[in-house]
Amino acid sequence: MSGLLVTIEGGEGAGKTTQSALLAAALEQLGCSVLRTREPGGAPGAEALRGFLLGRDHGLSLRAEAMAHFAARIDHVDSTIKPALASGRLVLCDRFTDSTLAYQGYGLARGDPAVLDFIARLTALLDVRPALTLMLDVRRAEGRRRVRLRGQDDDRYERLDEAFHERVAAGYRTIAAADPARCRLIAAGDPVEAVQRRMVAAVQALLRDGPLQEGAAAPGRQ
Ligand code: T5A
């Protein structure tokens, strides 16, 4: 596969959708063929599962909920991501495996090692891996303010308490620290344009230098 998978992660209201659209436009200007997609969803079957996963309480056990996110993900990978990568495109995906680790693993399961290990084993089953993950880091109060201003109905996860969202944010920082070759923490509390410049710089570094090898330092990268 000759394309590149770049994922965008972060808590509620971090600006993933906004930044994904701007980043896709900037990369198209640079001559990249970009496919923008999102999770849960991104393919017809996965979008059907999205309604179930984000609706009112579904009653699944923790591991079953994590697996349901992976069922949607595998449909998305098979139907959308792999064909786009095979034709050399840059796939920009709003949420991917780190969302399951952060929300189900660190948020709902409170970092239970058995659940984290279960999610790691599901992740290892996938045959695609992000070359770069941009993690938008914003204070919870600012993310909540933005979501309220936008004024849509809360989904199942947005309705959970503040402690849950703090665990998700801390989970993302743990994931980023554990995989510095792949993850870039992007300070996302600033105005849209400033965040955008950091996102573009990180992807340009990837296009220029290629993916970092695990364990290597990332001089000059965001
Ligand atoms: N989930 C998902 C799991 O639990 N497990 C999984 O495995 C997966 C894949 C998906 C939910 O599913 C959960 C996580 C989520 O709870 P969703 O509807 O797809 O939910 O929505 P989210 O991904 O959570 O995204 P949000 O809708 O919360 O926000 P975004 O996309 O981060 O933010 P965005 O761009 O929509 O911006 C929000 C508002 O802020 C403004 C925007 O204009 C918008 O109004 N804004 C800014 N304002 C000021 N300064 C900036 N820098 C701004 N950037 C954006």
Side-chain angles (χ1 to χ4, degrees):
M1 274 188 265
S2 54
L4 281 175
L5 173 61
V6 174
T7 58
I8 304 178
E9 294 278 359
E12 315 292 315
K16 297 175 298 300
T17 310
T18 304
Q19 293 297 335
S20 160
L22 293 171
L23 183 56
L27 293 172
E28 295 272 4
Q29 288 265 320
L30 293 172
C32 294
S33 170
V34 179
L35 175 79
R36 265 184 80 205
T37 186
R38 67 153 183 196
E39 291 200 348
E47 288 288 337
L49 283 173
R50 177 185 173 94
F52 171 76
L53 283 163
L54 301 190
R56 296 246 158 217
D57 287 345
H58 43 54
L60 294 178
S61 73
L62 271 178
R63 294 201 313 164
E65 178 173 330
M67 201 160 206
H69 276 288
F70 270 83
R73 181 161 300 130
I74 288 167
D75 183 54
H76 183 210
V77 165
D78 290 347
S79 307
T80 304
I81 295 179
K82 278 172 70 176
L85 293 177
S87 62
R89 302 184 76 184
L90 190 151
V91 177
L92 202 50
C93 187
D94 188 336
R95 298 194 179 280
F96 199 59
T97 52
D98 296 315
S99 283
T100 314
L101 208 48
Y103 280 74
Q104 280 65 49
Y106 287 102
L108 291 176
R110 298 167 182 265
D112 178 347
V115 176
L116 296 181
D117 179 62
F118 181 71
I119 295 168
R121 282 187 284 137
L122 292 174
T123 302
L125 291 175
L126 293 179
D127 45 5
V128 296
R129 189 171 189 271
L132 174 68
T133 296
L134 301 164
M135 290 196 174
L136 300 189
D137 192 33
V138 69
R139 283 187 303 115
R140 170 65 187 151
E142 171 63 9
R144 194 179 51 221
R145 186 190 71 80
R146 293 178 187 173
V147 169
R148 290 214 173 120
L149 271 180
R150 192 184 52 195
Q152 284 170 356
D153 284 349
D154 289 350
D155 67 34
R156 168 175 147 69
Y157 301 106
E158 280 163 354
R159 281 194 297 271
L160 296 177
D161 63 21
E162 286 309 302
F164 167 81
H165 290 285
E166 294 295 348
R167 288 196 298 277
V168 169
Y172 273 126
R173 289 187 203 112
T174 302
I175 295 165
D179 195 352
R182 171 176 66 88
C183 302
R184 301 285 169 278
L185 263 188
I186 304 277
D190 295 323
V192 169
E193 300 71 24
V195 180
Q196 178 57 18
R197 282 195 290 276
R198 292 172 191 141
M199 307 276 286
V200 173
V203 179
Q204 279 183 313
L206 171 74
L207 296 174
R208 187 183 61 234
D209 305 332
L212 276 179
Q213 298 308 306
E214 280 187 29
R221 290 195 180 181
Q222 285 282 351

